[in-house]
Amino acid sequence: MTPRTVAVVDYGMGNLRSVSQAVLHVARDSGVSAIVTSRPEEVRAAERVVLPGQGAMPDCMRELRDSGLLESVLEAAATKPLFGVCVGMQMLLDSSEEGPTAGLGLVPGEVVKFQLAGQHQPDGSRYKVPQMGWNRVRQARQHAMWAGIPEDSWFYFVHSFYARPSDAHHSVGESEYGVRFTCAVARDNIFATQFHPEKSADQGLSLYRNFLHWTP
């Protein structure tokens, strides 16, 4: 294993530029090297792995398989710290209403779509899907990845679907958008968020910084 390296997985569907810039920024002067890679051997060699994703989950799963990176990501998820971001979080679950494609099955549960037709926000406007913008995150349970991040901090979201873990213990962050929903999941050495830390200013950078030093 290459000492102190974090690999951002490039399988063709992630929000790579902003994710990689955020990871590279927090890695600077930390003693951790950050790489963006489409090579399975580099994912296997890294100490920890970031799995980004954007677009439709079935498309992301197809591209992950076709890229040849699926097995190396599964190996990473079994043995080292892994951080899933946005659709990268949704892919960790078993299935999604977005399509018939199976997920990675690393966090038991399903991904479901917001059903907010006819509902109104506190200001009287209708809820729009996707949710786009800033929202507060409640830390549903304590986790090392929340270190130094205040309760009810604001993070940036862009999504129409959200995770519904089978085991409530795996839900470590919640937000509200017409319904209370899970926006962060964790299991053993895996942590993942529906929101985009790389678009969430200082608190988002704190999450990535915590990931570089997290020892599950």
Side-chain angles (χ1 to χ4, degrees), residues 10 16 22 40 42 49 52 55 69 78 88 94 107-108 127 132 159 165 168 173 184 203 214:
D10 177 7
L16 277 175
E42 291 187 334
V49 173
L69 287 158
D94 295 317
V107 177
Y127 281 101
M132 296 181 65
H159 65 125
Q203 304 302 351
W214 175 38

Side-chain angles (χ1 to χ4, degrees), residues 51-121:
L51 179 67
Q54 67 178 17
M57 187 183 120
D59 294 340
C60 288
M61 286 300 304
R62 182 190 66 245
E63 292 300 318
L64 185 62
R65 286 192 302 269
D66 292 350
S67 69
L69 287 158
L70 175 60
E71 290 304 321
S72 62
V73 168
L74 288 173
E75 290 172 23
T79 60
K80 62 189 70 173
L82 183 141
F83 192 162
V85 181
C86 193
V87 179
M89 181 197 80
Q90 296 178 10
M91 293 163 70
L92 300 176
L93 279 79
D94 295 317
S95 62
S96 174
E97 291 182 347
E98 195 167 11
T101 305
L104 297 172
L106 298 170
V107 177
E110 62 179 345
V111 177
V112 299
K113 187 172 185 178
F114 282 119
Q115 301 294 337
L116 302 175
Q119 294 189 44
H120 291 79
Q121 302 192 63

Side-chain angles (χ1 to χ4, degrees), residues 141-153:
R141 67 178 176 87
Q142 289 186 331
H143 193 281
M145 285 286 288
W146 293 129
I149 298 172
E151 176 76 345
D152 290 327
S153 288

Side-chain angles (χ1 to χ4, degrees), residues 4-44:
R4 310 297 292 142
T5 299
V6 55
V8 180
V9 182
D10 177 7
Y11 59 99
M13 291 294 291
N15 187 20
L16 277 175
R17 179 171 173 79
S18 56
V19 171
S20 61
Q21 284 185 333
V23 173
L24 289 166
H25 175 77
V26 299
R28 193 175 299 127
D29 301 324
S30 71
V32 180
S33 299
I35 61 171
V36 179
T37 183
S38 58
R39 300 172 62 186
E41 62 269 24
E42 291 187 334
V43 174
R44 290 187 172 98

